[in-house]
Amino acid sequence: MAPATVLCIGMAGSGKTTFMQRLNSHLHAQKTPPYVLNLDPAVLKVPFQPNIDIRDSIKYKKVMEEYNLGPNGAIVTSLNLFATKIDQVINLVEKRSENLKHCIVDTPGQIECFIWSASGAIITEAFASTFPTVIAYIVDTPRNTSPTTFMSNMLYACSILYKTKLPMIIVFNKTDVKDAEFAKEWMTDFEIFQQAMQSSDELNEETGNGSGYMASLVNSMSLMLEEFYSTLDVVGVSSFTGAGFDDFLKAVDNKVDEYNEFYKAERDRIIKAKEEHAKKQKQKELSSLMKDLGIKDKKAAGVEVLSDLESEDEGEGLVEPDENEFKAERSYTFPEDRYAEIDENTEDDLQARYQSAFEQTAKTADSKTAEDIAKYIRQS
């Protein structure tokens, strides 16, 4: 069975790396060690031992110096370089897949460098097309007590869901500092969120009564995201204490089933549609080329290449072969020996036959011709 791949994504400071460390320790404690990947080229130290580390093959500082890039540009370029070898990474995971239940992946803190870059899409697609893949969106719970900040984070999560088209788990991290029940209530009960929004100091300071443009916008977005919330699994965890990780693993199992039932079928449908589109495009280009050349197709859809085409007018196109062409039979001087090989045993016999044929020819030829033939044979 293919291992479930968990891509840990979240804002800078949300605790992704610490979450990875605790998840790794939790799985080791359950005697099911995961396969661990680090895709953050700019991190100095990681509190876990990765099986594959992007820093082993790509030096972040050298990328900055060589290409004259800033921090974010160097991260994107490093991911681009790493993405060229993603097939080798997938092969390494596949070789260990029989003994694995989970493959966990840490991504860069600059979330846009991974999600909205071509290399991030390539890496995500490579895993999603090979293994059941789940997005774990890590949220910094204490920083999301404000309705506007919370709504901004949920919009980001929504955009990631529709960008990756993969099952998603919202992970409220740092519950040892702030319990995540308020966020779960905001996601399930619109009235409670509206009350929190009306009493928000941030909105009241801006509008005076919490009913201005910002409040109206946040209110509208919360209504829009109701359907988005219904597709998510939500868990609260503490990477510091280890609380909630059993619930997270149960959510991963649920999302793997959802992936196999819905997302995999959808991905197969998309791939098939692309193949059909490419086939139709190829046929359209061929038809356009035939039209440009003034060639009519007599073999309908069976024509694949131009050499299979025939001109409608007999006076144009390819030259018709002669009726007698390729019908003449070969004649052999010694038909009984035409397949025999010449070796040291048959060489004397063959020379005697040549001599006999020469003598027969010499009798019917005049003396000058016979002398010329004899002279030619002696010279040769």
Side-chain angles (χ1 to χ4, degrees), residues 105-118:
V105 183
D106 192 15
T107 60
Q110 287 74 5
I111 189 171
E112 69 280 359
C113 294
F114 183 79
I115 292 297
W116 277 272
S117 66

Side-chain angles (χ1 to χ4, degrees), residues 5 64 69 79 128 288 329 341:
T5 300
M64 290 182 68
L69 297 171
L79 287 171
S288 178
E329 295 183 0
E341 296 183 359

Side-chain angles (χ1 to χ4, degrees), residues 363-377:
K363 289 180 182 180
T364 58
D366 56 25
S367 59
K368 188 175 185 305
T369 303
E371 290 176 1
D372 292 341
I373 295 175
K375 182 179 179 181
Y376 174 76
I377 291 178

Side-chain angles (χ1 to χ4, degrees), residues 47-105:
F48 52 84
Q49 184 63 42
N51 297 93
I52 297 177
D53 195 335
I54 189 175
R55 298 174 301 167
D56 293 337
S57 54
I58 297 169
K59 304 302 179 185
Y60 172 72
K61 289 186 178 179
K62 288 186 177 179
V63 171
M64 290 182 68
E65 294 173 0
E66 185 173 350
Y67 296 99
N68 297 320
L69 297 171
N72 286 357
I75 291 175
V76 172
T77 303
S78 298
L79 287 171
N80 289 343
L81 295 172
F82 187 78
T84 61
K85 304 296 182 182
I86 191 61
D87 57 326
Q88 298 179 17
V89 175
I90 298 298
N91 289 336
L92 289 173
V93 179
E94 283 184 319
K95 289 179 181 179
R96 297 281 302 277
S97 61
E98 293 183 359
N99 302 319
L100 292 175
K101 289 186 65 178
H102 300 91
C103 174
I104 57 179
V105 183

